[in-house]
Amino acid sequence: MAMLASLISGLASGEIVAAVRRARTAAIVYALAALAALCGLGFLVGAAYVWVAGRYGPIGACIGFGIGFLVIAGLLLLIHQLSAGARTRRRARRRNADMKAIGIAAALAVLPTLLKGKGGLGTLLGPVIALVAYAIYRENVKPDADDPDAGEAK
C-alpha cells in the first residue's frame, strides 16, 4: 500500500514525468553522439583508403580493405561463439541464485503461518530434513562424465 501511495505521490509531483524527460533527452544525445562517431569513423576509413590507394592503387586498396573487414567480421563472430558457453553458464548460475532467493523469501513469508497452525514445527521438519538430505546427496555424488558442467566450480 505504501508503494502505491509513493507512486501516486510521484505522479502528482511530476517527478516521474521529469525523469522520463531526462531519460529521453539523454537517449537522444547518446544517439546523436553515436551517429557523429560513426561518421568520424567513416571518414577515417575513407582517408585510410585514399592513402592506401595512392600507394598500392585502387584495386589493391579495395581488395586489402575487403579482406581486412572480412577478417574483422570473422574474428568478432569467433569471439562471440567462444564466449557463448561462458555467458550461458553465468546466466544459469544467476537464475539458480535468483530461484534460491525466491524460495527462501517464500519460506520466510510462510513460516509464521506454519508455526501457528496445528502441525506447527512438525510441518516444517519434513521438508527441511528432505532438503538437508538432498544437499548431502548432491555433495557426495560423483559428477557425470557426460555432463558439460561437471568441471565447473559451484
Side-chain angles (χ1 to χ4, degrees):
M1 191 65 170
M3 184 184 242
L4 183 60
S6 173
L7 180 63
I8 291 172
S9 69
L11 281 172
S13 67
E15 292 178 27
I16 293 177
V17 174
V20 169
R21 189 174 296 135
R22 284 191 305 268
R24 184 176 54 225
T25 302
I28 290 171
V29 168
Y30 283 125
L32 290 174
L35 183 63
L38 286 174
C39 287
L41 189 61
F43 276 104
L44 287 175
V45 169
Y49 173 80
V50 169
W51 180 72
V52 171
R55 289 190 86 153
Y56 301 106
I59 297 295
C62 283
I63 291 172
F65 270 71
I67 290 172
F69 280 114
L70 288 175
V71 167
I72 290 171
L75 286 173
L76 288 172
L77 290 174
L78 179 66
I79 290 168
H80 178 73
Q81 287 292 63
L82 291 176
S83 65
R87 281 192 312 272
T88 302
R89 286 189 295 275
R90 188 172 44 246
R91 277 193 301 267
R93 279 194 303 270
R94 189 177 318 128
R95 191 171 36 252
N96 286 339
D98 290 345
M99 292 306 289
K100 285 178 188 175
I102 288 170
I104 291 170
L108 289 176
V110 172
L111 186 63
T113 306
L114 289 176
L115 288 176
K116 288 181 185 177
K118 285 186 179 182
L121 195 57
T123 307
L124 293 176
L125 286 180
V128 169
I129 291 171
L131 185 62
V132 170
Y134 179 70
I136 292 170
Y137 167 76
R138 286 284 303 216
E139 190 167 312
N140 292 319
V141 73
K142 291 185 180 182
D144 217 2
D146 297 333
D147 187 8
D149 295 332
E152 178 181 326
K154 293 186 181 183

